[in-house]
């Protein structure tokens, strides 16, 4: 259960061989540590691993809070998916809230420790395929244009901001506020208008806000 969603583990234990499912509405988030290579050269191995473990453990706790599924870490990158369960309703807003809370917790972590760690975050929503691959150290993974686009939103983003496309902004228009970044030439996609997720909209006008950084 530390490797697979509970429902997938049950299917494997019941003898189901090939686990492969298509989901028409998924949310995918990628977060990547900014300047990690330079950080790794300036920190001891123990300090580096301790920092990553602390930060990613915080992210794991947020994922559990919002009922989202951690897919994997890839070096200093972190991948989360929503909408994989039997009842995937609400995963889009939950994913946006997770991204905002990740940035806030990192801001608190920087203030508490003095370690200047920031992440770029990208989110995209749409159809994808999920399944289990491998026999040893197997993994439950997610594939498709939705995944690729979320990854591009992260890699073309800026530190401490959450970047999305118009489709995500439209989907979350009633629950979250955004600001237009402008046209970005997204690798493999082309020029696209992108947006930054700012905060959750609440009835009293307050919300969980993204951490703003000086550019």
């Amino acid at each position: 259960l530390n490797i697979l969603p509970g429902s997938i583990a049950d299917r494997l234990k019941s003898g189901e061989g090939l686990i492969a499912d298509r989901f028409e509405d998924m949310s995918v988030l990628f977060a990547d540590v900014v300047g990690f290579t330079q950080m790794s050269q300036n920190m001891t191995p123990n300090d580096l691993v301790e920092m990553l473990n602390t930060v990613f453990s915080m992210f794991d706790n947020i994922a559990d809070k919002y009922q989202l599924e951690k897919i994997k870490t890839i070096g200093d990158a972190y991948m989360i998916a929503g909408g994989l369960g039997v009842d995937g309703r609400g995963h889009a807003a939950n994913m946006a809230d997770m991204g905002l809370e990740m940035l806030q917790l990192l801001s608190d972590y920087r203030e508490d420790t003095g370690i200047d760690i920031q992440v770029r975050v990208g989110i995209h929503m749409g159809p994808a395929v999920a399944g289990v691959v491998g026999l040893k150290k197997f993994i439950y993974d997610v594939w498709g244009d939705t995944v690729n686009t979320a990854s591009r939103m992260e890699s073309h983003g800026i530190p401490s901001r959450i970047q999305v496309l118009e489709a995500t902004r439209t989907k979350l228009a009633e629950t979250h506020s955004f600001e237009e970044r402008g046209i970005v030439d997204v690798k493999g996609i082309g020029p696209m208008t992108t947006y930054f997720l700012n905060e959750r909209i609440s009835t009293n006008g307050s919300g969980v806000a993204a951490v703003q950084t000086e550019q």
Side-chain angles (χ1 to χ4, degrees):
L1 293 179
N2 282 326
I3 300 172
L4 302 171
S7 60
I8 301 301
D10 289 341
R11 288 166 64 183
L12 283 174
K13 288 192 294 183
S14 68
E16 189 171 344
L18 179 65
I19 303 291
D21 300 300
R22 179 176 176 84
F23 298 89
E24 295 303 325
D25 182 26
M26 284 186 59
S27 302
V28 179
L29 178 151
F30 279 92
D32 191 75
V33 177
V34 178
F36 181 76
T37 300
Q38 186 63 41
M39 293 180 68
S40 66
Q41 295 172 350
N42 296 330
M43 299 176 71
T44 67
N46 283 349
D47 288 343
L48 183 71
V49 173
E50 181 179 5
M51 178 196 70
L52 279 181
N53 182 59
T54 299
V55 169
F56 285 172
S57 294
M58 289 192 302
F59 292 173
D60 288 348
N61 289 334
I62 307 171
D64 288 343
K65 172 182 175 180
Y66 289 111
Q67 298 181 310
L68 301 169
E69 193 68 44
K70 176 183 178 180
I71 301 300
K72 58 187 173 183
T73 58
I74 314 160
D76 60 311
Y78 188 92
M79 180 184 177
I80 285 280
L84 293 168
V86 175
D87 182 3
R89 292 172 297 179
H91 63 84
N94 283 352
M95 186 66 80
D97 288 343
M98 173 161 183
L100 292 169
E101 194 163 331
M102 289 166 69
L103 296 186
Q104 184 58 58
L105 283 178
L106 268 190
S107 177
D108 296 340
Y109 179 79
R110 288 194 300 272
E111 185 174 337
D112 292 341
T113 65
I115 299 175
D116 185 19
I117 178 174
Q118 298 185 68
V119 293
R120 293 184 305 268
V121 180
I123 295 175
H124 194 62
M125 300 169 184
V129 172
V132 177
V133 292
L135 296 175
K136 296 182 178 179
K137 297 183 180 180
F138 50 82
I139 185 173
Y140 184 71
D141 212 345
V142 184
W143 306 271
D145 286 341
T146 298
V147 177
N148 296 336
T149 302
S151 178
R152 294 287 186 261
M153 288 298 96
E154 175 275 309
S155 62
H156 290 277
I158 64 174
S160 295
R161 300 306 301 269
I162 303 166
Q163 184 167 238
V164 304
L165 291 178
E166 172 68 29
T168 299
R169 187 194 71 84
T170 300
K171 191 178 185 71
L172 296 173
E174 294 185 0
T175 57
H176 293 78
S177 66
F178 298 81
E179 66 176 277
E180 184 175 329
R181 179 187 184 186
I183 302 294
V184 175
D185 189 7
V186 182
K187 182 179 179 182
I189 300 176
M192 301 288 291
T193 300
T194 67
Y195 300 83
F196 290 131
L197 168 62
N198 278 340
E199 65 179 5
R200 172 177 268 277
I201 302 169
S202 63
T203 54
N204 62 6
S206 63
V208 180
V211 178
Q212 304 291 329
T213 57
E214 294 183 2
Q215 303 307 318

